[in-house]
Amino acid sequence: MKKYDIKTTDKETLKKWFHLMTLGRAIDEKAPAYLLQSLGWSYHAPYAGHDGIQLAVGQVFEKGQDFMFPYYRDMLTVLSAGLTIEEILLNGLSKATDISSGGRHMSNHFAKVNWHIENVSSAVASHDTHAVGVARAMVYYKHKGVAITLHGESSTSEGYVYEAINGASNEKLPVIFVIQDNGYGISVPKKDQTANRKVADNFVGMKNLRIIHCNGKDVFDSMNAMTEAREYAIETSNPVIVQANCVRIGSHSNSDKHTLYRDEDELSYVKAADPLLKFRRMLLRYKRFSEKELKEIEAEAKKELSVANRKAISAPDPDPKTIHNFVIPEPYKPKVYVDGTHNKDGEKINMVTAINETLKAEFRKNPDTFLFGQDVANRDKGGVFNVSKGMQQEFGENRVYNAPIAEDYIVGTANGMSRFDPKIRVVIEGAEFADYFWPAMNQYVECTHDYWRSNGQFSPNITLRLASGGYIGGGLYHSQNIEGALTTLPGARIVYPSFADDAAGLLRTSLRSEGLTVFMEPKALYNAVEASTVVPDDFEVPFGKARIRRSGADLTLVTYGNTTHLSLQAAEQLAKEGIGSVEVIDLRSLLPLDKGTIFESIKKTSKVLIVHEDKVFSGFGAEVAATIADEMFRYLDAPIQRVGSTFTPVGFNPILERAILPNAALIYEAAKKQIQY
Amino acid sequence: MKKTGLFYGVNTKKTALIGKEIQEAFGENKADIVAVEEAGKKSFEQYDNLIIGASTWFDGELPTYWDELLPELENLKMKGKKVAIFGLGDQEGYPENFVDGIGLLAEFFEASGAEIVGHTSIEGYTFEGSRALRDGKFLGLAIDQENQSDLTGSRIAAWVKQLKKEFN
Ligand SMILES: Cc1cc2nc3c(=O)[nH]c(=O)nc-3n(C[C@H](O)[C@H](O)[C@H](O)COP(=O)(O)O)c2cc1C
Ligand SMILES: Cc1ncc(C[n+]2csc(CCOP(=O)(O)OP(=O)(O)O)c2C)c(N)n1
């Protein structure tokens, strides 16, 4: 027996639905007028034709239990879930009081973060992996609820949608993927996306996954489908796809002109399929409402919209002075080792051990920590480099586990888990090697945007570990340094330690901080004697604090990672030969950059050499050099010089690798020239 | 004398044309035309033999005039009555849901006790899936005006001949 139908659903419920649908449509139809009057809403994707499914998703959503990830067309969905008209208008008009983002994110991107109607990206469907991540946390914390993620059928072509559905199927997670099928991705008909007319059919082979088809233009069919989906997902802890058959009555958005690719006949039959008019006709036909009653509801909706409209247009605009707010949350501030140095004596440990022991110590201290990545959790092995060895045994399979080979999924689900509760800290091995992180770039960008885009309402609390760099004879795909590409994106901290103690200290600080920290591990140094140090228990290193590893008076050498050791060797030789004394600064943090330490040193030496393993061209050193040129030019007695690798990939044959990566001799020569300049 | 009712959407484009052709094939005054847009429960119950028609829309859906009517027909009592269904569809454009509407109506009227007659062979059609299929046959007459309009006349003639036998 279906739960909802035109004959038995109670009148109050029908009234609520008709009211919401009428109201939603009134806003949808008014939106373009704001643009015409230059008041805002410059991006608007009308939802007309999706009314049944959107009403249903909002109605089935349980505030306090569920998480929802609406897409840019989901206006009725969020209205139905409880957003007020004014809240919708404030987002449409990009006002300071817009609860989604304070005017930072595009219009038609509705959210109410404290209800867990999440603020999502415009990159289609990238929130699918977030929904999977939050569902994973729900299951872990025994929370009863579902994650509902929504998008169109064309977006389902994205590889990460497959990753998300595969993951939810494999992990048995209560996620409802709602696919609103209107037949188009902008002007592209769905036949150009996938072979099956109904894209949900592409997933029929996936285990534990239920697929429900419904008529998204029909209120009752949609309500029944969503009710069934939610019950199934919660009762069985399994994912569901609801494919809702919709029509797009309007253009894709205000920047699209659908008359260029749809003929009159089509425009007229999609209009004739208007779900709101169908619902209205049925209410009358089955004598649930009189024409007069419906007219009253319609008039009421108009009035409500006009009241909200007056309030919204007079709301304040965002203040340009606030643009630097909420780029990244304030980090944890070390209390004992305030500048991240120590003078402890004792037994030295190598970098792998230091990272491993710090992870374990923090995991013991904080039960809301999780670690996953590829190959991180085997019985006798912990990651390719044994960094996480013994962790699964100690903390169990629910906190330490292997991930599928899907880097975007790893980062996306870590982001999603963070949404469940701000106390959660997720450590991920973003990829087996930094070289394989590229598939996750979309999710990386999401992580860097979240805090700013949500106006400080949500930050992914993730430590993203990446085994980086070369000098291991690994060739093009086991040697890359990717920090040059990442440091240009605001919203992350990026650290690259070169000694065991700094690795331990930065990792601890990262695990205690909110926000995203990229933790780059120079894998050539994992077991290296020169990187081994004494590591005090509880050692902490603050972000943005460089460490002078050797002091000197004649040249400032700024470096990090593998080249710290090569630089120290070169400095030692220069000192021995009496050529000059080099101050070697290990940056430790690239983002934020410790300009103070660099500048103080330059004031003393008047010369600077920047050394890193990555390519000189467009490597991170370019930014350091430009910063010094901008702010310290008057202190310089020599041009800024840089040493790094050649502008080529890293070759596999050791002869090639040696010709490409910088070495101590090269640094020695460059430093000597600088000193003698 | 048993009464035959011919039910279809009179405001439709293609379905109405086919409906008229079927009526003609039956012969004058042999079947009453009933507009589905205006039909109610009683309209159905007053006939012994019913021919009902529907095209398929939007990847396997009934046209909305049927969709809006069906809840009204929920407790229809059709025991002892015979129902024959014709459906329009496009086997090239929608090969996964070819004439699904026939199947949807057949399921509905079977549930109300009617016997579905007028099954036809799938020979001559090319498609991938259809809700109208049962035991390798269509549960009614499939008409494809988009791709096989030249066959429509003969298909109707053969079907009406078959119905005249099955409607006794
Ligand atoms: C948007 C659209 C969707 C359609 N979906 C189907 C379908 O799923 N299966 C099918 O067999 N025919 C489908 N058709 C084809 C129609 O059933 C066919 O054109 C029919 O002749 C229309 O008749 P009518 O205009 O009387 O309703 C579709 C046609 C359109 C325009
Ligand atoms: C990753 C990404 N690629 C491309 C776009 C540009 N884009 C915006 S909407 C859209 C079409 C999406 O179509 P569909 O998923 O069917 O949803 P609909 O808009 O039809 O509701 C595209 C290609 C985007 N926003 N994100």
Side-chain angles (χ1 to χ4, degrees):
Chain A
M1 186 52 196
K2 299 276 188 200
K3 194 164 171 194
Y4 299 101
D5 67 59
I6 182 65
K7 292 196 296 197
T8 60
T9 299
D10 66 83
K11 189 163 176 176
E12 268 315 298
T13 303
L14 294 175
K15 184 175 174 186
K16 179 171 73 184
W17 293 353
F18 184 71
H19 173 246
L20 285 167
M21 291 169 76
T22 305
L23 200 51
R25 209 47 108 65
I27 307 171
D28 213 30
E29 282 163 12
K30 187 171 171 59
Y34 289 108
L35 181 57
L36 283 178
Q37 298 170 59
S38 302
L39 289 171
W41 223 316
S42 53
Y43 177 76
H44 170 237
Y47 77 80
H50 294 226
D51 312 49
I53 187 64
Q54 293 200 0
L55 175 90
V57 174
Q59 291 297 296
V60 166
F61 171 77
E62 290 285 346
K63 186 176 88 185
Q65 292 177 32
D66 299 345
F67 280 67
M68 188 204 280
F69 298 79
Y71 84 126
Y72 50 79
R73 204 179 294 285
D74 270 317
M75 188 207 284
L76 178 58
T77 311
V78 297
L79 184 71
S80 169
L83 259 74
T84 64
I85 316 168
E86 197 181 335
E87 287 168 341
I88 287 173
L89 299 186
L90 289 170
N91 169 268
L93 303 178
S94 310
K95 294 295 191 178
T97 44
D98 156 32
I99 56 164
S100 167
S101 77
R104 292 177 164 205
H105 199 12
M106 280 179 106
S107 46
N108 252 73
H109 287 64
F110 311 105
K112 186 158 184 158
V113 176
N114 59 357
W115 284 13
H116 291 310
I117 297 176
E118 301 288 297
N119 174 311
V120 313
S121 165
S122 306
V124 292
S126 8
H127 45 278
D128 274 9
T129 48
H130 301 167
V132 174
V134 88
R136 181 192 292 148
M138 284 182 188
V139 170
Y140 176 82
Y141 288 99
K142 301 193 168 43
H143 170 95
K144 204 176 138 199
V146 293
I148 306 174
T149 176
L150 303 115
H151 50 77
E153 84 293 344
S154 303
S155 303
T156 309
S157 299
E158 291 286 3
Y160 43 73
V161 172
Y162 286 78
E163 292 179 24
I165 299 177
N166 173 56
S169 138
N170 188 34
E171 296 187 42
K172 291 174 65 52
L173 301 174
V175 183
I176 305 177
F177 298 87
V178 180
I179 301 174
Q180 300 182 41
D181 179 357
N182 62 25
Y184 284 100
I186 310 185
S187 68
V188 183
K190 63 182 179 182
K191 71 174 172 51
D192 294 344
Q193 299 288 345
T194 195
N196 277 313
R197 289 278 308 164
K198 292 187 178 158
V199 68
D201 294 341
N202 286 358
F203 301 91
V204 286
M206 283 195 185
K207 205 168 168 176
N208 308 318
L209 173 72
R210 173 95 172 260
I211 297 174
I212 299 173
H213 290 276
C214 75
N215 181 348
K217 305 179 290 312
D218 187 89
V219 171
F220 300 102
D221 202 36
S222 298
M223 281 299 305
N224 289 323
M226 279 307 300
T227 305
E228 186 185 339
R230 188 172 184 279
E231 278 170 11
Y232 173 82
I234 288 187
E235 275 163 26
T236 68
S237 182
N238 275 317
V240 186
I241 292 177
V242 173
Q243 169 141 11
N245 217 359
C246 304
V247 289
R248 203 186 76 202
I249 296 177
S251 284
H252 167 78
S253 72
N254 51 304
S255 59
D256 172 47
K257 193 172 172 198
H258 63 169
T259 48
L260 296 176
Y261 54 90
R262 299 170 97 181
D263 61 22
E264 294 254 323
D265 180 43
E266 179 178 342
L267 293 178
S268 85
Y269 71 63
V270 293
K271 205 157 174 232
D274 188 330
L276 175 57
L277 296 183
K278 176 183 180 185
F279 186 51
R280 196 182 193 285
R281 282 194 303 270
M282 289 182 82
L283 292 175
L284 292 173
R285 175 176 193 147
Y286 290 88
K287 302 205 163 40
R288 304 302 308 274
F289 286 83
S290 66
E291 180 65 32
K292 185 166 162 277
E293 288 173 307
L294 294 183
K295 285 231 165 81
E296 274 167 19
I297 299 171
E298 286 161 346
E300 181 56 33
K302 244 193 212 148
K303 254 195 252 158
E304 289 170 69
L305 176 53
S306 123
V307 171
N309 169 60
R310 273 198 299 277
K311 285 198 204 155
I313 51 181
S314 56
D317 285 320
D319 179 352
K321 288 203 280 294
T322 60
I323 55 170
H324 293 291
N325 294 352
F326 308 126
V327 173
I328 188 158
E330 276 303 306
Y332 168 81
K333 291 254 182 326
K335 293 173 193 78
V336 186
Y337 305 91
V338 181
D339 64 350
T341 57
H342 68 92
N343 307 307
K344 288 263 157 63
D345 283 330
E347 200 190 326
K348 288 185 177 181
I349 58 171
N350 63 26
M351 194 183 279
V352 168
T353 311
I355 296 173
N356 179 268
E357 288 182 355
T358 307
L359 284 172
K360 285 179 177 163
E362 288 302 302
F363 271 56
R364 284 176 200 132
K365 197 170 137 61
N366 180 359
D368 300 303
T369 43
F370 300 86
L371 180 141
F372 59 99
Q374 286 161 31
D375 212 12
V376 300
N378 286 333
R379 179 180 278 282
D380 298 314
K381 190 179 167 187
V384 202
F385 300 102
N386 277 324
V387 174
S388 52
K389 194 178 165 100
M391 289 194 63
Q392 191 179 47
Q393 288 86 328
E394 182 172 347
F395 304 107
E397 295 180 355
N398 293 326
R399 284 178 64 198
V400 178
Y401 41 88
N402 287 320
I405 309 178
E407 293 75 14
D408 216 23
Y409 179 78
I410 293 174
V411 181
T413 58
N415 177 312
M417 285 180 80
S418 306
R419 288 169 195 263
F420 183 72
D421 195 319
K423 72 184 178 189
I424 291 175
R425 294 290 178 277
V426 188
V427 180
I428 48 175
E429 217 161 79
E432 290 221 41
F433 293 83
D435 312 63
Y436 302 125
F437 189 64
W438 301 113
M441 276 311 282
N442 177 48
Q443 285 301 332
Y444 182 80
V445 172
E446 293 312 328
C447 286
T448 64
H449 280 176
D450 273 315
Y451 192 57
W452 195 88
R453 199 186 61 220
S454 67
N455 216 8
Q457 296 181 86
F458 164 69
S459 86
N461 299 329
I462 299 174
T463 299
L464 197 165
R465 298 180 33 237
L466 289 172
S468 305
Y471 301 103
I472 61 161
L476 288 78
Y477 302 97
H478 300 87
S479 306
Q480 291 174 30
N481 283 285
I482 68 170
E483 69 275 13
L486 303 188
T487 44
T488 189
L489 299 165
R493 292 176 289 257
I494 300 182
V495 301
Y496 206 149
S498 45
F499 284 90
D501 52 359
D502 290 341
L506 285 165
L507 186 57
R508 176 165 288 111
T509 307
S510 160
L511 269 157
R512 293 181 180 181
S513 293
E514 289 188 348
L516 170 68
T517 307
V518 180
F519 189 82
M520 297 195 159
E521 302 171 10
K523 57 184 178 284
L525 298 178
Y526 276 144
N527 299 302
V529 180
E530 68 267 30
S532 303
T533 65
V534 176
V535 181
D537 287 344
D538 249 14
F539 186 49
E540 303 164 336
V541 175
F543 297 119
K545 193 85 198 86
R547 182 162 175 178
I548 298 173
R549 278 286 175 181
R550 181 188 178 102
S551 39
D554 302 321
L555 172 68
T556 298
L557 193 157
V558 180
T559 186
Y560 59 89
N562 282 315
T563 49
T564 302
H565 299 280
L566 303 176
S567 300
L568 286 168
Q569 279 172 40
E572 177 65 22
Q573 197 184 334
L574 289 160
K576 261 199 208 143
E577 294 172 3
I579 295 168
S581 78
V582 180
E583 180 145 293
V584 179
I585 297 176
D586 178 359
L587 286 177
R588 303 195 289 194
S589 291
L590 311 186
L591 253 188
L593 177 65
D594 183 359
K595 293 200 277 187
T597 299
I598 300 171
F599 290 179
E600 279 313 305
S601 177
I602 291 174
K603 280 183 191 162
K604 193 168 64 173
T605 64
S606 304
K607 290 176 179 175
V608 63
L609 176 68
I610 299 157
V611 181
H612 57 46
E613 178 186 343
D614 197 9
K615 296 160 288 294
V616 172
F617 187 89
S618 245
F620 182 67
E623 185 58 40
V624 178
T627 305
I628 295 169
D630 278 352
E631 301 185 41
M632 296 299 289
F633 186 71
R634 62 201 166 103
Y635 293 97
L636 293 176
D637 287 342
I640 302 163
Q641 292 296 311
R642 288 182 283 156
V643 171
S645 60
T646 53
F647 197 53
T648 61
V650 180
F652 184 61
N653 187 311
I655 297 169
L656 298 176
E657 191 191 73
R658 277 198 294 277
I660 289 163
L661 296 181
N663 54 43
L666 210 64
I667 300 168
Y668 168 86
E669 284 307 324
K672 186 171 163 187
K673 247 202 219 157
Q674 250 337 44
I675 294 168
Q676 293 172 347
Y677 183 85
Chain B
M1 170 88 178
K2 287 191 173 169
K3 279 177 73 183
T4 301
L6 178 53
F7 292 73
Y8 59 83
V10 297
N11 300 326
T12 55
K13 287 191 193 128
K14 298 176 188 150
T15 310
L17 278 177
I18 302 301
K20 282 219 188 72
E21 283 185 43
I22 290 174
Q23 191 199 31
E24 277 163 30
F26 258 93
E28 233 179 299
N29 298 330
K30 291 276 165 50
D32 306 341
I33 289 178
V34 185
V36 176
E37 294 92 336
E38 264 129 56
K41 206 166 161 196
K42 285 206 192 90
S43 334
F44 289 85
E45 284 174 345
Q46 64 178 296
Y47 292 98
D48 310 290
N49 296 322
L50 296 88
I51 303 163
I52 61 180
S55 56
T56 301
W57 274 81
F58 302 119
D59 297 295
E61 290 175 6
L62 281 172
T64 191
Y65 56 88
W66 268 112
D67 218 26
E68 292 170 36
L69 166 65
L70 289 184
E72 192 173 330
L73 306 183
E74 243 160 38
N75 300 312
L76 206 59
K77 295 205 170 44
M78 300 286 283
K79 211 167 162 52
K81 297 178 191 287
K82 290 180 178 169
V83 171
I85 306 166
F86 69 95
L88 284 79
D90 170 354
Q91 59 198 299
E92 270 182 35
Y94 305 90
E96 293 159 52
N97 299 89
F98 181 50
V99 294
D100 273 9
I102 294 178
L104 290 167
L105 288 178
E107 288 162 26
F108 185 89
F109 282 92
E110 258 177 345
S112 66
E115 181 192 348
I116 307 297
V117 300
H119 299 194
T120 63
S121 164
I122 58 169
E123 220 171 282
Y125 301 88
T126 310
F127 60 96
E128 293 159 23
S130 172
R131 196 149 174 178
L133 277 185
R134 190 177 298 166
D135 303 329
K137 293 187 98 181
F138 285 127
L139 286 160
L141 173 67
I143 296 290
D144 184 342
Q145 290 297 83
E146 270 81 12
N147 310 295
Q148 298 179 328
S149 58
D150 51 327
L151 299 178
T152 297
S154 57
R155 280 174 175 165
I156 290 175
W159 194 55
V160 168
K161 201 167 149 199
Q162 177 187 344
L163 289 189
K164 282 182 174 165
K165 275 194 223 138
E166 293 182 2
F167 267 166
N168 287 314

